[in-house]
Amino acid sequence: MRFAGVDLSKPKVMGVINVSPESFFKGSVKQSEEELIQTVLKMVEDGASFIDVGAKSTAPYLETQIPVEEEVRRAVWAIKTIREHVDVPISIDTTSARVAEEALKAGADIINDVSGLKGDGNMAKVAKEYDVPVIVCAHKKVEDFKDPVHEVIKALEESLQIAYKHGIEGIAIDPAIGFLRANWPPWYEWDSKVLANLNLLKVFGLPILVGVSRKSFIGAITGRKDPMERLAGSLSATAIAVWNGAHIIRTHDVRETVDAVKMAAFMRTFNP
């Protein structure tokens, strides 16, 4: 299995670069060119096979609206800067087709859409026009708890129909850890059940990308309110995700996550 030209026979790591000051994890925000370059070079040196650039926070519990022009400015600046220094695939984390298109022009290789191609009606068209792979996130309105894994699968099926209708071939799926928040039960139970049953997403036969890094469900379970204190919990959730079939782990902490991924993947070879 491959995604964006990267061999996924062993799980890989995607390093997160945020240039959005409103991000939930302030420790990940880079706002100077020097800091951006140093960070991305270190991520690749530490084992990142992909880099994901976010120019606007997508955390569902934050007020994160900014003008699209500002998101474009941030994204283009970051991607142009990064592209000059690394040759790994770069994804643009956005729900805006305009931002995605400008990012692709600036050197991005992948569209990472947390709305699962459902937010901006032109996103799938842009992906097809530029012939780039996409990461589709499970996205839907969830009122009450039924079966989290079933809801995730249904949401992904809807996004895949959009992608296939537009002739998009390179696709990875993301179960939306941290994004689907039902009225009941608490979101951390939802996210935990999805991670514990991640192997059920293998039904799609597509690469599974999981982002758990520093997220609030970890804080809720461990009692660590500050994202800076959630590394250990993130690594634990990462190992569980890999054990259950994740192909790509999206993280703020590349070096530590690469080790966790290697350990979990090695152990899994004895329990295929």
Side-chain angles (χ1 to χ4, degrees), residues 139-211:
H139 178 77
K140 67 180 299 183
K141 184 175 178 59
V142 179
E143 297 293 344
D144 294 301
F145 179 89
K146 292 179 183 177
D147 178 354
V149 181
H150 180 64
E151 296 292 347
V152 165
I153 288 174
K154 283 202 308 183
L156 289 171
E157 285 174 342
E158 293 166 1
S159 292
L160 291 175
Q161 287 176 5
I162 297 170
Y164 293 143
K165 179 181 176 181
H166 285 82
I168 299 170
E169 296 180 355
I171 305 171
I173 55 174
D174 181 336
I177 300 300
F179 287 93
L180 297 177
R181 298 197 169 205
N183 294 330
W184 181 259
W187 79 100
Y188 56 86
E189 290 186 17
W190 179 287
D191 290 337
S192 297
K193 189 166 185 178
V194 171
L195 278 180
N197 294 277
L198 193 68
N199 62 308
L200 296 179
L201 299 190
K202 293 178 182 179
V203 66
F204 292 112
L206 296 170
I208 301 169
L209 182 147
V210 173

Side-chain angles (χ1 to χ4, degrees), residues 102-164:
E102 293 303 320
L104 294 171
K105 290 177 181 176
D109 308 284
I110 304 165
I111 296 173
N112 180 9
D113 183 3
V114 299
S115 76
L117 306 178
K118 300 174 185 176
D120 187 323
N122 291 318
M123 187 69 86
K125 296 176 183 177
V126 169
K128 178 60 177 177
E129 180 181 348
Y130 286 82
D131 191 26
V132 295
V134 298
I135 301 164
V136 295
C137 196
H139 178 77
K140 67 180 299 183
K141 184 175 178 59
V142 179
E143 297 293 344
D144 294 301
F145 179 89
K146 292 179 183 177
D147 178 354
V149 181
H150 180 64
E151 296 292 347
V152 165
I153 288 174
K154 283 202 308 183
L156 289 171
E157 285 174 342
E158 293 166 1
S159 292
L160 291 175
Q161 287 176 5
I162 297 170
Y164 293 143

